[in-house]
Amino acid sequence: MHNLLFVVFDDFQLIDLAGPLQVFTTARLYCDEKSPIPYNATIASVSGKTIATPSQVRIETTGLPRRLKPKTTIVVVGGFGMDPARRDTKLIRWLQTHAPHAYRICSICDGAFLLAEAGLLKGKRVATHWIDCDRLQNEFPDIQVDRDSIYVCDGNIWTSAGASAGIDLALAIVEEDYSAAIATLVARRLVLYTKRAGNQSQFSDFISMAMKDPDGVFTELNQWVLANISQEISVPDLASRAGMSERTFSRKYTKVMGATPADAVNRFRAETARNHLQTAKASLKSVAAKCGFRSVEHMNRVIQKLFGVSAKVLRETVADSN
DNA sequence: ACATATACCCGCCATT
DNA sequence: TCAATGGCGGGTATAT
């Protein structure tokens, strides 16, 4: 089980908390019996009292803990109250002391300033709200502000752009902690179309289609494929997994999914790769490996065929989501 | 870039 | 007889 520690302050932006929290909560529906409660969330502030938001909703909080529970992901929110919060030495000192021991550190929106203030972002690649990109870069020249990404993961530091990007970041975390299949199911459940400006969609069409497969015959199999996308997957393998002969499996799968088995696996790989290329700044080589391509060349060919552009171009055509 | 190897897929047909 | 199945084999697309 993972622990989440949301760090909030007066006049923080409600959706920075509510968005990611909803994603983590929904993930419960799709985790197996081994981890019935995948995420345990705590909302904390310096005062430990009820915190007001500009949206009129008030949030109960506890004080900042003296010790982090194991596998704690810290999530720092943003909002109107961010600037005063930066000057709150108790808050910044707490971050300096405890964040280095966290399993993972996240910020939403301009919450990145708090992490920067605490010196946690030195040399890191970072995303923040587009309005704040210049300011963040000027104030902290030693960090690399990535203006184009919805969210960025650099080591165990995850930062995200605007408010809704916090939801994307949370989905990516679910994917890392559990699986792409579960993240996709959560996205579907919450009806997150994630249609981005520039018509870039993060959770891609074929994958979504595979997840809803009306008859449900291959839904489970497709989930398995997504969860094991980094592995080599052969058609005979899939057939035996589906409990059919190769011939019958091939026939049925093609009929239901509208793509032959090997073709479908390739699309899963390519769309997963696209998602990675357009968010994290991992090397082409590591993306290829992560998506089960045997080489960068292999990945390029498949992407070129499916999307009509090279992997490099695909990465560069990321639209600003805010 | 080219050649070789192989994985795939699809028609054909016997079987259930 | 029909419908679904699945084994076979060759043609082909694709990987290395």
Side-chain angles (χ1 to χ4, degrees), chain A residues 7-153:
Chain A
V7 177
V8 305
F9 41 82
D10 282 319
D11 285 331
F12 75 96
Q13 184 159 267
L14 185 58
I15 196 172
D16 291 1
L17 168 70
L21 189 52
Q22 183 65 59
V23 169
F24 294 122
T25 308
T26 302
R28 283 184 197 178
L29 299 176
Y30 301 106
C31 286
D32 53 25
E33 60 286 346
K34 274 184 289 180
S35 51
I37 302 180
Y39 295 101
N40 173 51
T42 306
I43 305 169
S45 68
V46 171
S47 70
K49 295 180 180 164
T50 301
I51 298 286
T53 70
S55 314
Q56 295 177 298
V57 175
R58 295 167 157 273
I59 299 290
E60 299 290 329
T61 70
T62 65
L64 295 169
R66 299 236 179 100
R67 270 194 98 142
L68 295 182
K69 293 176 191 162
K71 269 198 170 183
T72 291
T73 293
I74 294 178
V75 185
V76 178
V77 300
F80 298 146
M82 188 277 292
D83 269 311
R86 275 176 78 177
R87 296 190 291 272
D88 185 335
T89 51
K90 274 187 190 160
L91 175 58
I92 298 306
R93 254 195 234 129
W94 183 88
L95 283 173
Q96 287 167 337
T97 313
H98 294 90
H101 304 124
Y103 178 72
R104 182 192 285 132
I105 307 166
C106 308
S107 70
I108 316 292
C109 205
D110 59 5
F113 280 88
L114 299 179
L115 298 185
E117 192 74 46
L120 297 164
L121 300 183
K122 285 193 180 110
K124 298 287 181 182
R125 190 174 273 278
V126 166
T128 188
H129 193 280
W130 59 269
I131 280 184
D132 296 306
C133 283
D134 288 339
R135 193 155 67 98
L136 185 66
Q137 187 69 83
N138 290 338
E139 288 189 38
F140 302 94
D142 55 352
I143 69 183
Q144 302 175 52
V145 177
D146 182 337
R147 289 153 204 279
D148 298 323
S149 292
I150 294 152
Y151 62 85
V152 172
C153 163

Side-chain angles (χ1 to χ4, degrees), chain A residues 21 59 95 129 142 146 250 255 257 276 278 284 291 318:
Chain A
L21 189 52
I59 299 290
L95 283 173
H129 193 280
D142 55 352
D146 182 337
S250 190
K255 192 167 184 189
M257 300 297 299
H276 280 113
Q278 294 183 339
L284 291 183
C291 302
V318 179

Side-chain angles (χ1 to χ4, degrees), chain A residues 186-202:
Chain A
V186 171
R188 289 200 59 77
R189 175 77 180 208
L190 295 175
V191 199
L192 299 171
Y193 294 102
T194 63
K195 268 280 183 217
R196 316 217 142 274
N199 290 327
Q200 303 293 335
S201 63
Q202 194 197 350

Side-chain angles (χ1 to χ4, degrees), chain A residues 159-173:
Chain A
T159 50
S160 77
S164 74
I167 293 174
D168 292 284
L169 181 142
L171 284 168
I173 286 175

Side-chain angles (χ1 to χ4, degrees), chain A residues 179-233:
Chain A
S179 71
I182 289 178
T184 306
L185 290 168
V186 171
R188 289 200 59 77
R189 175 77 180 208
L190 295 175
V191 199
L192 299 171
Y193 294 102
T194 63
K195 268 280 183 217
R196 316 217 142 274
N199 290 327
Q200 303 293 335
S201 63
Q202 194 197 350
F203 285 88
S204 334
D205 295 334
F206 193 74
I207 291 178
S208 319
M209 202 219 14
M211 289 303 127
K212 79 175 173 192
D213 163 20
D215 304 330
V217 221
F218 293 118
T219 309
E220 209 177 307
L221 181 70
N222 286 327
Q223 284 173 26
W224 179 87
V225 171
L226 272 181
N228 295 279
I229 199 69
S230 65
Q231 312 291 313
E232 197 174 309
I233 299 169

